[in-house]
Amino acid sequence: MASRRHQRTALTVTAALLTLTAAVGCGAVDKAMDCVRTADAIATSVNSLQQAVSSASDDPTQASEALDRIDQDIKDLGDTTDDADLSKAVDGLRAGVTNVRDALDKGDTTPDLTPVTDAATEIGKVCTP
């Protein structure tokens, strides 16, 4: 399911970028492309996190590594935007990642990923012009 969502998001973003390129200047397109690339990276990292959590008993480090990638993506996205809606979505993602990391540290092998996936979806929406 997450893979289909990721594919739909990527297709939507690509179509929107083609429209955006014709409608706005290069600076705005570059900024939008940065947002889209980072949103795509976040979607990929969230998918990796979901897979890692489902097999956490086999290799608990995978979930930590996926969370680290999401943290880096959040930092990259925060460096490229000043949009209030995007900042709110990034804050939600950051809080979700912190909660999942805390749950895993406490031994929870099935942490609630809903806040992470919801925030990642919102970032995808905000980054789609």
Side-chain angles (χ1 to χ4, degrees):
M1 176 191 276
S3 179
R4 284 190 218 156
R5 182 183 308 156
H6 180 69
Q7 289 173 344
R8 281 193 308 258
T9 301
L11 288 174
T12 301
V13 167
T14 301
L17 283 176
L18 291 173
T19 303
L20 179 66
T21 302
V24 297
C26 291
V29 171
D30 288 342
K31 187 173 182 179
M33 289 293 290
D34 288 343
C35 186
V36 169
R37 276 191 288 271
T38 305
D40 185 54
I42 288 170
T44 300
S45 295
V46 169
N47 187 38
S48 296
L49 175 62
Q50 290 171 323
Q51 292 172 355
V53 166
S54 70
S55 62
S57 60
D58 296 333
D59 186 0
T61 61
Q62 286 182 353
S64 180
E65 289 169 3
L67 290 168
D68 290 344
R69 282 191 299 274
I70 295 170
D71 279 336
Q72 183 58 49
D73 294 336
I74 291 170
K75 181 186 177 311
D76 292 345
L77 188 56
D79 291 345
T80 62
T81 188
D82 58 357
D83 181 87
D85 291 334
L86 185 55
S87 293
K88 182 178 177 182
V90 167
D91 289 344
L93 182 58
R94 187 175 288 120
V97 166
T98 298
N99 290 341
V100 170
R101 193 180 300 276
D102 290 346
L104 289 170
D105 288 346
K106 292 177 183 173
D108 184 354
T109 58
T110 58
D112 181 13
L113 300 180
T114 305
V116 173
T117 57
D118 288 350
T121 299
E122 184 61 26
I123 288 171
K125 288 178 187 176
V126 172
C127 286
T128 303

